[in-house]
Amino acid sequence: MASKVYFADFRCPSWRENLQQKLARLMMTAGFGDIDMDGKYVAIKMNFGEPGNMAYLRPNWAKTVADLVKSQGGKPFLTDCNTLYIGGRKNALDHMESAYVNGFTPYSTGCHIIIADGLKGNDEVAVPVEGGEYVKEAKIGRAVMDADVFISLTHFKGHEQAGFGGCLKNIGMGCGSRAGKMEQHNSGKPFVKQKKCVGCHACAKICAHGAPTFGPDNKATINTDKCVGCARCLAVCPKDAIQCMYDEAPSILNYKIAEYTKAVVDGRPCFHISLVIDVSPNCDCRSENDMAIVPNVGMFASFDPVALDMACIDAVNAQAPLRGSAADCPEDHAHAHDHFQRIHPDTDWRSCLEHGEKLGLGTRKYELVKI
Protein backbone atom coordinates (compact mmCIF):
# COMPACT_ATOMS: atom_id res chain seq x y z
CA MET A 1 0.00 0.00 0.00
CA ALA A 2 1.08 3.54 -0.66
CA SER A 3 1.87 5.72 2.35
CA LYS A 4 0.32 9.14 2.75
CA VAL A 5 2.65 12.11 2.48
CA TYR A 6 1.12 15.48 3.28
CA PHE A 7 2.24 18.59 1.40
CA ALA A 8 1.76 22.34 1.66
CA ASP A 9 3.43 25.00 -0.46
CA PHE A 10 4.98 28.18 0.88
CA ARG A 11 2.17 30.45 -0.30
CA CYS A 12 0.52 32.58 2.39
CA PRO A 13 -1.65 35.02 0.46
CA SER A 14 -3.97 35.68 3.38
CA TRP A 15 -3.23 37.62 6.55
CA ARG A 16 -5.02 34.87 8.49
CA GLU A 17 -2.08 32.44 8.47
CA ASN A 18 1.72 32.68 8.41
CA LEU A 19 4.17 29.95 7.39
CA GLN A 20 4.70 28.69 10.92
CA GLN A 21 0.95 28.32 11.39
CA LYS A 22 0.72 26.60 8.03
CA LEU A 23 3.36 24.06 9.09
CA ALA A 24 1.45 23.38 12.30
CA ARG A 25 -1.76 22.87 10.29
CA LEU A 26 0.07 20.50 7.94
CA MET A 27 1.40 18.47 10.85
CA MET A 28 -1.98 18.17 12.56
CA THR A 29 -3.66 17.22 9.28
CA ALA A 30 -1.02 14.51 8.81
CA GLY A 31 -1.94 12.95 12.18
CA PHE A 32 0.57 14.52 14.54
CA GLY A 33 -2.15 15.04 17.13
CA ASP A 34 -2.81 11.28 17.30
CA ILE A 35 0.54 10.64 19.00
CA ASP A 36 0.33 10.29 22.77
CA MET A 37 2.81 12.88 24.03
CA ASP A 38 1.30 13.70 27.39
CA GLY A 39 4.16 13.89 29.89
CA LYS A 40 6.53 12.26 27.37
CA TYR A 41 10.06 13.32 26.42
CA VAL A 42 10.07 14.23 22.74
CA ALA A 43 13.30 14.42 20.73
CA ILE A 44 13.26 16.78 17.75
CA LYS A 45 16.21 15.77 15.59
CA MET A 46 17.61 18.46 13.30
CA ASN A 47 20.89 19.91 12.02
CA PHE A 48 21.80 23.27 13.59
CA GLY A 49 24.11 24.13 10.68
CA GLU A 50 27.84 24.53 10.60
CA PRO A 51 28.94 28.13 11.30
CA GLY A 52 29.42 29.85 7.95
CA ASN A 53 26.59 27.93 6.34
CA MET A 54 23.36 29.85 5.71
CA ALA A 55 21.13 27.18 4.15
CA TYR A 56 20.16 25.38 7.37
CA LEU A 57 16.61 25.62 8.70
CA ARG A 58 15.82 28.77 10.66
CA PRO A 59 15.08 28.38 14.38
CA ASN A 60 11.50 29.54 13.73
CA TRP A 61 10.68 26.16 12.20
CA ALA A 62 11.98 24.36 15.28
CA LYS A 63 9.86 26.58 17.50
CA THR A 64 6.75 25.66 15.53
CA VAL A 65 7.39 21.96 16.12
CA ALA A 66 8.36 22.43 19.78
CA ASP A 67 5.29 24.56 20.50
CA LEU A 68 3.02 21.96 18.90
CA VAL A 69 4.62 19.24 21.02
CA LYS A 70 3.99 21.29 24.15
CA SER A 71 0.38 21.86 23.11
CA GLN A 72 0.00 18.07 23.13
CA GLY A 73 1.47 17.82 26.65
CA GLY A 74 4.94 16.71 25.56
CA LYS A 75 8.38 17.80 26.79
CA PRO A 76 10.37 18.67 23.66
CA PHE A 77 14.10 19.10 23.21
CA LEU A 78 16.18 19.76 20.10
CA THR A 79 18.95 17.28 19.53
CA ASP A 80 21.78 16.22 17.24
CA CYS A 81 24.95 14.18 17.65
CA ASN A 82 28.51 15.44 17.38
CA THR A 83 30.20 15.37 14.01
CA LEU A 84 32.97 13.02 12.97
CA TYR A 85 34.78 15.61 10.89
CA ILE A 86 36.77 18.48 12.36
CA GLY A 87 34.60 21.58 12.60
CA GLY A 88 32.34 23.64 14.84
CA ARG A 89 30.27 20.72 16.16
CA LYS A 90 32.74 17.95 17.04
CA ASN A 91 32.07 18.13 20.82
CA ALA A 92 29.05 19.19 22.84
CA LEU A 93 30.43 22.57 23.95
CA ASP A 94 31.42 23.66 20.44
CA HIS A 95 28.23 22.14 19.08
CA MET A 96 25.98 24.12 21.40
CA GLU A 97 27.98 27.30 20.79
CA SER A 98 27.52 26.80 17.04
CA ALA A 99 23.80 26.29 17.56
CA TYR A 100 23.60 29.52 19.58
CA VAL A 101 25.55 31.42 16.90
CA ASN A 102 23.05 30.18 14.33
CA GLY A 103 20.13 31.36 16.45
CA PHE A 104 19.03 28.22 18.28
CA THR A 105 18.43 29.21 21.89
CA PRO A 106 15.66 28.32 24.35
CA TYR A 107 14.27 31.81 23.79
CA SER A 108 14.04 31.47 19.99
CA THR A 109 12.88 27.84 19.87
CA GLY A 110 10.92 27.41 23.10
CA CYS A 111 12.92 24.39 24.24
CA HIS A 112 16.42 23.31 25.21
CA ILE A 113 19.19 21.65 23.22
CA ILE A 114 20.67 18.32 24.28
CA ILE A 115 23.64 16.98 22.32
CA ALA A 116 22.65 13.34 22.20
CA ASP A 117 26.05 11.64 22.36
CA GLY A 118 27.51 13.76 25.15
CA LEU A 119 30.52 15.95 25.65
CA LYS A 120 33.02 14.00 23.56
CA GLY A 121 30.69 12.09 21.28
CA ASN A 122 30.98 8.75 23.06
CA ASP A 123 27.82 8.67 25.19
CA GLU A 124 26.06 6.06 23.09
CA VAL A 125 23.70 3.10 23.24
CA ALA A 126 24.24 -0.10 21.23
CA VAL A 127 20.89 -0.67 19.53
CA PRO A 128 20.18 -3.94 17.69
CA VAL A 129 19.22 -3.53 14.04
CA GLU A 130 16.46 -5.96 13.15
CA GLY A 131 17.24 -7.37 9.71
CA GLY A 132 20.53 -5.50 9.49
CA GLU A 133 22.91 -6.83 6.84
CA TYR A 134 25.78 -4.40 7.42
CA VAL A 135 25.16 -3.25 10.98
CA LYS A 136 24.14 -5.59 13.79
CA GLU A 137 24.25 -3.00 16.59
CA ALA A 138 24.00 0.69 15.78
CA LYS A 139 25.82 3.16 18.03
CA ILE A 140 23.16 5.80 18.74
CA GLY A 141 23.44 8.92 20.89
CA ARG A 142 21.98 8.14 24.31
CA ALA A 143 19.59 11.11 24.56
CA VAL A 144 17.97 10.10 21.26
CA MET A 145 17.23 6.64 22.63
CA ASP A 146 16.07 8.01 26.00
CA ALA A 147 13.24 9.94 24.32
CA ASP A 148 9.73 8.48 24.37
CA VAL A 149 8.76 10.04 21.05
CA PHE A 150 11.04 10.83 18.10
CA ILE A 151 10.47 13.59 15.53
CA SER A 152 12.74 14.36 12.60
CA LEU A 153 12.82 17.91 11.25
CA THR A 154 14.83 17.83 8.05
CA HIS A 155 16.22 20.40 5.64
CA PHE A 156 16.02 18.58 2.32
CA LYS A 157 19.08 19.15 0.14
CA GLY A 158 21.77 17.52 -1.97
CA HIS A 159 24.66 15.62 -0.41
CA GLU A 160 28.15 14.98 -1.72
CA GLN A 161 28.34 11.40 -0.42
CA ALA A 162 24.78 10.11 0.01
CA GLY A 163 23.38 11.87 -3.08
CA PHE A 164 20.72 13.72 -1.11
CA GLY A 165 20.29 14.71 2.51
CA GLY A 166 16.76 13.88 3.53
CA CYS A 167 14.85 12.26 6.36
CA LEU A 168 16.81 8.99 6.45
CA LYS A 169 20.14 10.82 6.34
CA ASN A 170 19.04 13.19 9.12
CA ILE A 171 18.09 10.24 11.30
CA GLY A 172 20.58 7.51 10.40
CA MET A 173 23.80 9.45 10.13
CA GLY A 174 22.65 12.29 12.36
CA CYS A 175 21.75 10.12 15.34
CA GLY A 176 24.92 8.05 15.18
CA SER A 177 27.56 8.79 17.82
CA ARG A 178 31.03 9.64 16.54
CA ALA A 179 31.82 5.91 16.48
CA GLY A 180 28.50 5.30 14.74
CA LYS A 181 29.30 7.85 12.07
CA MET A 182 32.70 6.27 11.57
CA GLU A 183 31.09 2.85 11.19
CA GLN A 184 28.82 4.20 8.47
CA HIS A 185 31.55 6.01 6.56
CA ASN A 186 34.14 3.23 6.53
CA SER A 187 35.15 -0.08 8.02
CA GLY A 188 35.26 1.63 11.40
CA LYS A 189 38.99 2.17 11.77
CA PRO A 190 40.66 5.59 12.27
CA PHE A 191 44.12 6.65 11.18
CA VAL A 192 46.69 9.17 12.43
CA LYS A 193 47.89 12.21 10.49
CA GLN A 194 51.52 12.00 11.46
CA LYS A 195 52.28 15.69 10.91
CA LYS A 196 49.66 16.70 13.48
CA CYS A 197 50.56 14.14 16.15
CA VAL A 198 52.55 15.59 19.10
CA GLY A 199 53.09 12.30 20.91
CA CYS A 200 50.98 13.15 23.95
CA HIS A 201 49.76 9.54 24.30
CA ALA A 202 46.18 10.66 25.07
CA CYS A 203 44.93 8.09 22.57
CA ALA A 204 46.85 5.29 24.29
CA LYS A 205 45.43 6.24 27.69
CA ILE A 206 41.83 6.11 26.47
CA CYS A 207 42.16 2.93 24.39
CA ALA A 208 41.15 -0.28 26.15
CA HIS A 209 42.62 -2.49 23.43
CA GLY A 210 46.19 -1.22 23.02
CA ALA A 211 45.62 -0.14 19.41
CA PRO A 212 47.79 3.03 19.41
CA THR A 213 51.51 2.34 19.02
CA PHE A 214 54.40 4.80 18.93
CA GLY A 215 57.52 4.85 16.80
CA PRO A 216 60.99 6.26 17.50
CA ASP A 217 59.70 9.76 16.73
CA ASN A 218 56.91 9.29 19.35
CA LYS A 219 54.24 9.60 16.64
CA ALA A 220 51.13 7.45 17.05
CA THR A 221 49.93 4.76 14.66
CA ILE A 222 46.66 2.82 15.00
CA ASN A 223 46.95 -0.96 14.87
CA THR A 224 43.76 -1.78 12.98
CA ASP A 225 43.89 -5.43 14.04
CA LYS A 226 43.41 -4.34 17.66
CA CYS A 227 41.15 -1.35 17.00
CA VAL A 228 37.43 -1.96 17.65
CA GLY A 229 36.27 1.34 16.12
CA CYS A 230 34.98 2.98 19.31
CA ALA A 231 36.26 6.42 18.16
CA ARG A 232 37.24 7.46 21.68
CA CYS A 233 40.73 8.32 20.43
CA LEU A 234 39.18 10.79 17.97
CA ALA A 235 37.41 12.47 20.85
CA VAL A 236 40.45 12.93 23.10
CA CYS A 237 43.14 13.87 20.56
CA PRO A 238 44.01 17.53 21.33
CA LYS A 239 45.42 18.17 17.84
CA ASP A 240 42.75 16.45 15.73
CA ALA A 241 45.47 14.18 14.41
CA ILE A 242 43.24 11.08 14.52
CA GLN A 243 40.69 10.99 11.74
CA CYS A 244 38.41 8.68 9.81
CA MET A 245 38.88 7.48 6.25
CA TYR A 246 35.75 8.27 4.24
CA ASP A 247 36.22 5.28 1.98
CA GLU A 248 32.90 3.42 2.03
CA ALA A 249 31.25 2.86 -1.36
CA PRO A 250 28.23 5.16 -1.88
CA SER A 251 25.72 2.29 -1.93
CA ILE A 252 27.15 0.68 1.23
CA LEU A 253 27.10 4.06 2.99
CA ASN A 254 23.43 4.42 2.14
CA TYR A 255 22.63 0.87 3.25
CA LYS A 256 24.19 1.64 6.62
CA ILE A 257 22.28 4.94 6.88
CA ALA A 258 19.03 3.02 6.36
CA GLU A 259 19.99 0.45 9.00
CA TYR A 260 20.92 3.13 11.53
CA THR A 261 17.56 4.77 10.85
CA LYS A 262 15.87 1.46 11.57
CA ALA A 263 17.62 1.31 14.95
CA VAL A 264 16.42 4.81 15.89
CA VAL A 265 12.75 4.57 14.93
CA ASP A 266 11.86 1.01 15.91
CA GLY A 267 9.59 0.51 18.88
CA ARG A 268 8.27 4.01 19.58
CA PRO A 269 6.07 6.71 18.03
CA CYS A 270 7.81 8.70 15.28
CA PHE A 271 6.82 11.55 12.98
CA HIS A 272 8.78 13.11 10.14
CA ILE A 273 8.84 16.60 8.60
CA SER A 274 10.93 17.74 5.63
CA LEU A 275 11.18 21.30 4.36
CA VAL A 276 12.20 21.61 0.72
CA ILE A 277 13.59 25.11 1.00
CA ASP A 278 17.00 26.58 0.11
CA VAL A 279 17.85 23.27 -1.58
CA SER A 280 21.63 23.55 -1.54
CA PRO A 281 23.70 21.02 -3.53
CA ASN A 282 25.69 19.99 -0.45
CA CYS A 283 25.22 19.23 3.24
CA ASP A 284 24.54 21.79 5.98
CA CYS A 285 27.62 20.35 7.70
CA ARG A 286 29.81 22.39 5.36
CA SER A 287 31.02 25.78 6.56
CA GLU A 288 29.63 27.40 3.40
CA ASN A 289 26.70 26.86 1.06
CA ASP A 290 26.18 27.21 -2.66
CA MET A 291 23.04 28.78 -4.13
CA ALA A 292 19.86 26.72 -4.20
CA ILE A 293 19.51 24.36 -7.16
CA VAL A 294 15.71 24.75 -7.57
CA PRO A 295 13.02 27.16 -6.35
CA ASN A 296 11.57 26.56 -2.89
CA VAL A 297 8.97 23.79 -3.12
CA GLY A 298 7.14 23.40 0.17
CA MET A 299 6.77 21.43 3.39
CA PHE A 300 6.12 17.71 3.68
CA ALA A 301 5.07 15.47 6.60
CA SER A 302 4.49 11.76 7.04
CA PHE A 303 4.73 8.82 9.42
CA ASP A 304 6.70 7.01 6.68
CA PRO A 305 10.30 8.27 6.31
CA VAL A 306 10.93 6.37 3.06
CA ALA A 307 7.82 7.70 1.36
CA LEU A 308 8.64 11.17 2.64
CA ASP A 309 12.11 11.12 1.07
CA MET A 310 10.73 9.74 -2.18
CA ALA A 311 8.11 12.48 -2.37
CA CYS A 312 10.71 15.18 -1.74
CA ILE A 313 13.04 13.78 -4.39
CA ASP A 314 10.25 13.69 -6.94
CA ALA A 315 9.21 17.23 -6.04
CA VAL A 316 12.74 18.56 -6.50
CA ASN A 317 13.34 16.70 -9.74
CA ALA A 318 10.06 18.05 -11.11
CA GLN A 319 11.46 21.59 -10.83
CA ALA A 320 13.49 23.33 -13.51
CA PRO A 321 16.97 24.05 -12.12
CA LEU A 322 17.74 27.63 -11.19
CA ARG A 323 19.90 29.36 -13.76
CA GLY A 324 23.54 29.44 -12.72
CA SER A 325 23.13 26.80 -10.02
CA ALA A 326 25.08 23.55 -9.74
CA ALA A 327 22.11 21.74 -11.29
CA ASP A 328 22.00 24.05 -14.32
CA CYS A 329 23.76 21.77 -16.79
CA PRO A 330 21.53 21.39 -19.89
CA GLU A 331 24.17 19.43 -21.82
CA ASP A 332 24.00 16.58 -19.28
CA HIS A 333 21.34 14.52 -21.06
CA ALA A 334 22.15 11.35 -19.10
CA HIS A 335 20.78 12.89 -15.89
CA ALA A 336 18.21 15.21 -17.40
CA HIS A 337 15.53 14.30 -14.83
CA ASP A 338 17.74 13.73 -11.78
CA HIS A 339 19.29 16.86 -10.29
CA PHE A 340 21.00 14.95 -7.49
CA GLN A 341 22.73 12.51 -9.84
CA ARG A 342 23.76 15.38 -12.09
CA ILE A 343 25.42 17.27 -9.25
CA HIS A 344 27.06 14.22 -7.65
CA PRO A 345 27.37 11.58 -10.39
CA ASP A 346 29.36 9.16 -8.22
CA THR A 347 26.61 8.84 -5.61
CA ASP A 348 23.77 6.32 -5.47
CA TRP A 349 20.82 7.86 -3.62
CA ARG A 350 18.33 5.18 -4.69
CA SER A 351 20.17 2.53 -2.70
CA CYS A 352 19.17 4.15 0.61
CA LEU A 353 15.44 4.10 -0.13
CA GLU A 354 15.55 0.62 -1.66
CA HIS A 355 17.30 -0.76 1.41
CA GLY A 356 15.01 1.15 3.76
CA GLU A 357 12.02 -0.42 2.03
CA LYS A 358 13.63 -3.87 2.31
CA LEU A 359 14.14 -3.34 6.06
CA GLY A 360 10.48 -2.45 6.56
CA LEU A 361 11.09 1.24 7.29
CA GLY A 362 8.42 2.22 4.79
CA THR A 363 7.59 2.21 1.12
CA ARG A 364 8.61 4.27 -1.89
CA LYS A 365 4.99 4.27 -3.02
CA TYR A 366 3.14 7.30 -1.74
CA GLU A 367 -0.07 9.24 -2.05
CA LEU A 368 0.54 12.98 -1.97
CA VAL A 369 -2.16 14.79 0.01
CA LYS A 370 -2.10 18.54 -0.61
CA ILE A 371 -3.52 20.96 1.93
Side-chain angles (χ1 to χ4, degrees):
M1 290 181 61
S3 292
K4 288 188 177 182
V5 176
Y6 293 79
F7 166 77
D9 60 29
F10 287 122
R11 291 294 309 280
C12 282
S14 170
W15 58 267
R16 295 176 182 174
E17 183 179 56
N18 60 34
L19 283 175
Q20 290 175 271
Q21 292 166 335
K22 193 170 188 177
L23 174 59
R25 180 162 63 90
L26 172 73
M27 292 169 61
M28 294 303 288
T29 304
F32 186 82
D34 296 334
I35 303 172
D36 178 15
M37 299 186 188
D38 191 25
K40 307 290 179 62
Y41 294 105
V42 181
I44 303 171
K45 168 62 182 73
M46 67 179 304
N47 188 318
F48 304 119
E50 190 72 15
N53 189 297
M54 297 182 67
Y56 62 89
L57 294 181
R58 292 177 178 87
N60 312 63
W61 299 114
K63 178 172 174 55
T64 300
V65 179
D67 285 350
L68 203 56
V69 169
K70 287 189 287 187
S71 74
Q72 303 298 306
K75 300 178 180 180
F77 64 95
L78 303 182
T79 192
D80 197 3
C81 284
N82 292 307
T83 60
L84 181 59
Y85 63 86
I86 307 307
R89 297 178 297 130
K90 68 174 183 174
N91 61 67
L93 295 181
D94 291 347
H95 202 153
M96 293 183 71
E97 183 67 22
S98 296
Y100 294 152
V101 167
N102 284 343
F104 294 90
T105 72
Y107 308 105
S108 62
T109 64
C111 66
H112 290 283
I113 294 170
I114 299 176
I115 304 304
D117 59 343
L119 181 62
K120 296 181 179 179
N122 54 19
D123 187 12
E124 62 195 30
V125 179
V127 183
V129 181
E130 184 179 350
E133 298 177 25
Y134 300 87
V135 179
K136 298 305 178 185
E137 284 191 333
K139 304 174 182 69
I140 307 298
R142 186 174 301 275
V144 165
M145 297 311 300
D146 282 346
D148 303 303
V149 180
F150 179 84
I151 299 171
S152 65
L153 176 59
T154 302
H155 172 221
F156 195 86
K157 57 204 170 291
H159 195 277
E160 51 273 40
Q161 292 176 309
F164 74 95
C167 181
L168 296 188
K169 174 71 167 52
N170 182 32
I171 300 171
M173 185 64 72
C175 291
S177 65
R178 296 193 84 194
K181 288 180 172 65
M182 184 166 66
E183 180 178 35
Q184 292 175 76
H185 277 295
N186 76 348
S187 60
K189 304 300 172 72
F191 72 99
V192 180
K193 283 196 169 184
Q194 298 289 311
K195 290 183 178 180
K196 289 189 172 185
C197 179
V198 295
C200 69
H201 289 234
C203 55
K205 294 174 184 176
I206 198 69
C207 183
H209 305 279
T213 60
F214 299 86
D217 58 357
N218 204 30
K219 301 282 188 179
T221 301
I222 304 295
N223 183 335
T224 55
D225 291 333
K226 294 183 177 181
C227 177
V228 298
C230 72
R232 281 166 173 75
C233 57
L234 279 81
V236 301
C237 180
K239 297 297 181 182
D240 296 327
I242 305 177
Q243 298 184 18
C244 163
M245 291 181 286
Y246 293 82
D247 61 355
E248 196 63 277
S251 59
I252 303 299
L253 168 67
N254 275 327
Y255 295 155
K256 291 181 178 180
I257 287 172
E259 294 188 1
Y260 261 69
T261 302
K262 174 81 169 176
V264 172
V265 303
D266 266 1
R268 58 179 164 175
C270 297
F271 189 83
H272 311 288
I273 308 137
S274 287
L275 302 183
V276 185
I277 184 173
D278 297 326
V279 186
S280 52
N282 297 315
C283 185
D284 292 344
C285 291
R286 297 175 69 106
S287 58
E288 81 291 327
N289 62 281
D290 198 357
M291 68 177 286
I293 61 174
V294 296
N296 293 338
V297 177
M299 47 188 92
F300 297 74
S302 180
F303 286 100
D304 185 334
V306 177
L308 180 64
D309 272 350
M310 194 72 246
C312 291
I313 288 170
D314 288 344
V316 171
N317 283 333
Q319 306 295 312
L322 289 174
R323 187 172 182 179
S325 72
D328 184 20
C329 191
E331 65 274 10
D332 185 359
H333 301 292
H335 303 123
H337 302 291
D338 190 339
H339 300 323
F340 303 102
Q341 198 73 51
R342 182 185 303 125
I343 297 168
H344 301 295
D346 295 329
T347 61
D348 181 20
W349 62 260
R350 291 175 179 81
S351 59
C352 188
L353 301 188
E354 290 168 356
H355 198 60
E357 193 171 49
K358 181 180 178 181
L359 290 167
L361 274 172
T363 175
R364 287 174 289 169
K365 297 178 182 178
Y366 64 91
E367 175 192 349
L368 194 66
V369 181
K370 299 181 180 180
I371 72 163

mmCIF file of all heavy atoms in Angstrom, residues 57 69 74 95 123 148 176 179 195 206 236 247 250 298 336:
data_model
loop_
_atom_site.group_PDB
_atom_site.id
_atom_site.type_symbol
_atom_site.label_atom_id
_atom_site.label_comp_id
_atom_site.label_asym_id
_atom_site.label_seq_id
_atom_site.Cartn_x
_atom_site.Cartn_y
_atom_site.Cartn_z
ATOM 1 N N LEU A 57 17.949 25.159 8.335
ATOM 2 C CA LEU A 57 16.609 25.624 8.700
ATOM 3 C C LEU A 57 16.682 26.696 9.781
ATOM 4 O O LEU A 57 17.417 26.557 10.754
ATOM 5 C CB LEU A 57 15.760 24.463 9.208
ATOM 6 C CG LEU A 57 15.419 23.365 8.189
ATOM 7 C CD1 LEU A 57 14.554 22.308 8.852
ATOM 8 C CD2 LEU A 57 14.718 23.939 6.967
ATOM 9 N N VAL A 69 4.394 20.329 20.073
ATOM 10 C CA VAL A 69 4.623 19.239 21.022
ATOM 11 C C VAL A 69 4.100 19.626 22.402
ATOM 12 O O VAL A 69 3.400 18.845 23.069
ATOM 13 C CB VAL A 69 6.122 18.881 21.097
ATOM 14 C CG1 VAL A 69 6.401 17.946 22.279
ATOM 15 C CG2 VAL A 69 6.586 18.229 19.801
ATOM 16 N N GLY A 74 3.606 17.299 25.605
ATOM 17 C CA GLY A 74 4.939 16.710 25.560
ATOM 18 C C GLY A 74 6.024 17.637 26.073
ATOM 19 O O GLY A 74 5.811 18.843 26.249
ATOM 20 N N HIS A 95 29.484 22.388 19.795
ATOM 21 C CA HIS A 95 28.227 22.136 19.082
ATOM 22 C C HIS A 95 27.135 23.093 19.554
ATOM 23 O O HIS A 95 26.433 23.723 18.745
ATOM 24 C CB HIS A 95 27.806 20.687 19.315
ATOM 25 C CG HIS A 95 26.876 20.144 18.280
ATOM 26 N ND1 HIS A 95 26.790 18.810 17.975
ATOM 27 C CD2 HIS A 95 25.957 20.753 17.488
ATOM 28 C CE1 HIS A 95 25.878 18.625 17.035
ATOM 29 N NE2 HIS A 95 25.348 19.796 16.729
ATOM 30 N N ASP A 123 28.918 9.097 24.330
ATOM 31 C CA ASP A 123 27.816 8.668 25.186
ATOM 32 C C ASP A 123 26.759 8.031 24.285
ATOM 33 O O ASP A 123 25.888 8.707 23.740
ATOM 34 C CB ASP A 123 27.238 9.859 25.951
ATOM 35 C CG ASP A 123 26.196 9.436 26.977
ATOM 36 O OD1 ASP A 123 26.100 8.220 27.244
ATOM 37 O OD2 ASP A 123 25.487 10.313 27.496
ATOM 38 N N ASP A 148 10.914 9.327 24.537
ATOM 39 C CA ASP A 148 9.732 8.479 24.367
ATOM 40 C C ASP A 148 9.149 8.583 22.958
ATOM 41 O O ASP A 148 8.588 7.624 22.433
ATOM 42 C CB ASP A 148 8.647 8.877 25.371
ATOM 43 C CG ASP A 148 9.140 8.807 26.810
ATOM 44 O OD1 ASP A 148 9.598 7.721 27.215
ATOM 45 O OD2 ASP A 148 9.082 9.839 27.510
ATOM 46 N N GLY A 176 23.784 8.871 14.832
ATOM 47 C CA GLY A 176 24.922 8.047 15.183
ATOM 48 C C GLY A 176 25.916 8.825 16.028
ATOM 49 O O GLY A 176 26.168 10.010 15.783
ATOM 50 N N ALA A 179 31.461 7.270 16.907
ATOM 51 C CA ALA A 179 31.819 5.913 16.481
ATOM 52 C C ALA A 179 30.803 5.384 15.477
ATOM 53 O O ALA A 179 31.155 4.671 14.533
ATOM 54 C CB ALA A 179 31.911 4.990 17.686
ATOM 55 N N LYS A 195 51.789 14.319 10.763
ATOM 56 C CA LYS A 195 52.278 15.691 10.914
ATOM 57 C C LYS A 195 51.616 16.414 12.078
ATOM 58 O O LYS A 195 52.202 17.320 12.676
ATOM 59 C CB LYS A 195 52.065 16.475 9.619
ATOM 60 C CG LYS A 195 52.972 16.041 8.464
ATOM 61 C CD LYS A 195 52.751 16.915 7.247
ATOM 62 C CE LYS A 195 53.676 16.512 6.112
ATOM 63 N NZ LYS A 195 53.467 17.361 4.903
ATOM 64 N N ILE A 206 43.269 6.328 26.565
ATOM 65 C CA ILE A 206 41.825 6.109 26.469
ATOM 66 C C ILE A 206 41.480 4.766 25.847
ATOM 67 O O ILE A 206 40.382 4.244 26.019
ATOM 68 C CB ILE A 206 41.147 7.249 25.664
ATOM 69 C CG1 ILE A 206 39.628 7.295 25.907
ATOM 70 C CG2 ILE A 206 41.406 7.098 24.165
ATOM 71 C CD1 ILE A 206 39.237 7.729 27.279
ATOM 72 N N VAL A 236 39.502 12.384 22.119
ATOM 73 C CA VAL A 236 40.451 12.928 23.097
ATOM 74 C C VAL A 236 41.694 13.562 22.466
ATOM 75 O O VAL A 236 42.430 14.272 23.149
ATOM 76 C CB VAL A 236 40.904 11.840 24.097
ATOM 77 C CG1 VAL A 236 39.711 11.277 24.845
ATOM 78 C CG2 VAL A 236 41.692 10.734 23.404
ATOM 79 N N ASP A 247 35.915 6.129 3.125
ATOM 80 C CA ASP A 247 36.216 5.277 1.983
ATOM 81 C C ASP A 247 35.123 4.270 1.664
ATOM 82 O O ASP A 247 35.327 3.390 0.842
ATOM 83 C CB ASP A 247 37.541 4.535 2.224
ATOM 84 C CG ASP A 247 37.506 3.632 3.465
ATOM 85 O OD1 ASP A 247 36.490 3.653 4.188
ATOM 86 O OD2 ASP A 247 38.493 2.926 3.701
ATOM 87 N N PRO A 250 29.482 4.408 -2.085
ATOM 88 C CA PRO A 250 28.233 5.157 -1.884
ATOM 89 C C PRO A 250 27.033 4.281 -1.551
ATOM 90 O O PRO A 250 26.227 4.628 -0.679
ATOM 91 C CB PRO A 250 28.049 5.873 -3.227
ATOM 92 C CG PRO A 250 29.432 6.031 -3.756
ATOM 93 C CD PRO A 250 30.164 4.797 -3.323
ATOM 94 N N GLY A 298 8.180 23.455 -0.836
ATOM 95 C CA GLY A 298 7.141 23.402 0.171
ATOM 96 C C GLY A 298 7.536 22.549 1.352
ATOM 97 O O GLY A 298 8.691 22.184 1.534
ATOM 98 N N ALA A 336 19.093 14.075 -17.120
ATOM 99 C CA ALA A 336 18.208 15.206 -17.396
ATOM 100 C C ALA A 336 17.091 15.342 -16.372
ATOM 101 O O ALA A 336 16.606 16.448 -16.127
ATOM 102 C CB ALA A 336 17.615 15.051 -18.798
#
